[in-house]
């Protein structure tokens, strides 16, 4: 069996399952990059930032998405039985939602090149996201998570995906779909968010250290929910929009206090779990600063966007260095 970081085939069975899990987990790179592209797109509308930066980021996201998805399919991802096994994995099953989420984000971004084509692409990815979320929920409510520690990653397919679907539907001028998917996100945020947060408190910090970075996923629901709401209301920040802003700012404060507990012993690809929460939070805050007309909003928005972009640059560099180091070790 070749090292999972390489490009050669693995053997069947557990090796292929591990390889597929790693490929899907690495889609967090694509998701985070698309999220940063969305933040730059918001800056294009509000700050006059160059659109080519957003286009370039979405191109990189799409390339990573396509390469990893092809590798996943080649190593057994075309079999429904393997997909179900991967989906039911107690720790990583939720990551399959990365596939349609990135697709929906790309459909919204590319809609200016052809609305009808973007709508068809969105419909396919939104349906896939709904199937993944429904299958996960059916598995969870029948005891599929009984032996697994709860963590906020489980919010991604059942809360964040519907909110992203809603925001994209508004971009594609599908208000009825936007309202329907927004309602799904709100319901399951209230339901699962309460259970997961209560479980974390009751567990008393017993979450395994490798899983602790998923605590940053707590940022995604208020960020994507706020983006969905404001997209449906033409960027206007009404009482509900301000409420999402308050939730996001408070959650960011909580995560800031959690940072000492999120430290890892060394760099690994799992650091990319931080990327989409950071990008989505920055995207919403840029829209909020503009929509609320905060004093100095233009300078604050550029400072925020620059800081986030620099953090991503460091993360890209560390990822390339880590991949090169793994290849050297594997070939030694």
């Amino acid at each position: 069996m070749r090292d999972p970081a390489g490009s050669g085939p693995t053997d069947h069975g557990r090796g292929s399952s591990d390889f597929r899990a790693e490929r899907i987990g690495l889609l967090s790179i694509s998701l985070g990059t698309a999220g940063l592209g969305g933040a730059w797109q918001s800056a294009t509308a509000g700050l006059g930032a160059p659109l080519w930066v957003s286009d370039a980021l979405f191109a990189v996201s799409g390339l990573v998405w396509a390469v990893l998805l092809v590798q996943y399919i080649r190593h057994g991802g075309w079999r429904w039985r393997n997909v179900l096994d991967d989906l039911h994995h107690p720790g990583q099953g939720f990551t399959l939602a990365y596939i349609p989420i990135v697709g929906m984000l790309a459909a919204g971004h590319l809609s200016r090149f052809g609305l009808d084509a973007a709508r068809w692409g969105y419909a396919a990815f939104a349906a896939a996201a709904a199937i993944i979320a429904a299958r996960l929920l059916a598995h969870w409510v029948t005891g599929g998570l009984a032996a697994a520690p709860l963590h906020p990653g489980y919010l991604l397919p059942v809360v964040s995906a519907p909110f992203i679907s809603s925001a994209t539907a508004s971009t594609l001028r599908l208000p009825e779909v936007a309202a329907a998917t927004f309602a799904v996100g709100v319901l399951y945020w209230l339901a699962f968010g309460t259970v997961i947060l209560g479980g974390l408190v009751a567990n008393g910090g017993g979450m395994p250290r490798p899983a602790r970075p998923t605590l940053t996923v707590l940022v995604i629901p208020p960020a994507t929910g706020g983006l969905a709401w404001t997209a449906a209301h033409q960027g206007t920040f009404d009482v509900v929009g301000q409420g999402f802003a308050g939730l996001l700012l408070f959650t960011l404060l909580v995560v800031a206090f959690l940072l000492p507990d999120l430290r890892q012993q060394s760099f690994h690809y799992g650091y990319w779990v931080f990327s989409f929460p950071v990008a989505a939070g920055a995207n919403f805050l840029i829209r909020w600063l503009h929509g609320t007309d905060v004093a100095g909003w233009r300078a604050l928005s550029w400072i925020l966007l620059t800081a986030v972009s620099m953090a991503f640059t460091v993360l890209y560099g560390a990822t390339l260095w880590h991949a090169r180091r793994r290849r050297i070790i594997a070939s030694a």
Side-chain angles (χ1 to χ4, degrees), residues 1-80:
M1 182 177 70
R2 293 281 300 277
D3 180 76
S7 57
T10 63
D11 54 21
H12 296 289
R14 184 63 189 169
S16 293
S17 177
D18 290 343
F19 186 90
R20 290 196 307 273
E22 185 180 64
R23 297 302 98 177
I24 294 301
L26 286 174
L27 278 172
S28 58
I29 299 174
S30 177
L31 180 60
T33 304
L36 182 61
W40 272 92
Q41 188 173 6
S42 294
T44 298
L47 300 172
L51 183 58
W52 67 264
V53 177
S54 180
D55 287 340
L57 287 166
F58 271 99
V60 172
S61 172
L63 179 62
V64 173
W65 182 89
V67 169
L68 293 175
L69 185 57
V70 167
Q71 291 180 347
Y72 176 80
I73 293 171
R74 283 185 56 207
H75 287 266
W78 59 273
R79 293 189 179 93
W80 178 242

Side-chain angles (χ1 to χ4, degrees), residues 66 91 169 258 292 316-317:
L258 287 172
T292 310
Y316 290 132

Side-chain angles (χ1 to χ4, degrees), residues 111-304:
S111 61
R112 71 182 193 274
F113 298 111
L115 183 60
D116 289 339
R119 283 176 171 177
W120 280 109
Y122 163 75
F125 289 122
I131 290 170
I132 289 173
R135 180 66 195 186
L136 282 171
L137 279 169
H139 177 61
W140 295 345
V141 300
T142 53
L145 285 180
L150 290 173
H151 62 72
Y154 299 122
L155 295 174
L156 188 75
V158 297
V159 178
S160 302
F163 282 152
I164 291 169
S165 178
S166 177
T168 305
S170 293
T171 300
L172 300 177
R173 287 175 268 172
L174 300 169
E176 295 84 0
V177 178
T181 51
F182 183 82
V184 173
V186 170
L187 173 63
Y188 288 99
W189 187 16
L190 292 173
F192 272 85
T194 302
V195 171
I196 289 173
L197 190 58
L200 290 172
V201 173
N203 195 31
M207 178 182 289
R209 181 166 289 276
R212 289 182 185 178
T214 61
L215 290 170
T216 59
V217 177
L218 290 169
V219 171
I220 300 179
T224 55
L227 289 169
W229 181 266
T230 54
H233 294 81
Q234 293 75 49
T236 302
F237 273 83
D238 55 11
V239 173
V240 177
Q242 296 292 355
F244 274 107
L247 287 169
L248 175 59
L249 291 171
F250 180 76
T251 306
L252 287 172
L253 183 61
V254 173
V255 171
F257 282 114
L258 287 172
L259 288 178
D261 295 317
L262 304 183
R263 287 198 306 260
Q264 303 291 296
Q265 293 181 346
S266 60
F267 180 84
H268 52 82
Y269 294 133
Y271 267 74
W272 277 94
V273 77
F274 295 109
S275 64
F276 189 66
V278 169
N283 189 348
F284 181 66
L285 288 176
I286 288 171
R287 291 176 180 262
W288 175 70
L289 289 168
H290 183 197
T292 310
D293 198 21
V294 175
W297 68 268
R298 190 177 295 275
L300 289 172
S301 297
W302 274 116
I303 291 171
L304 175 62

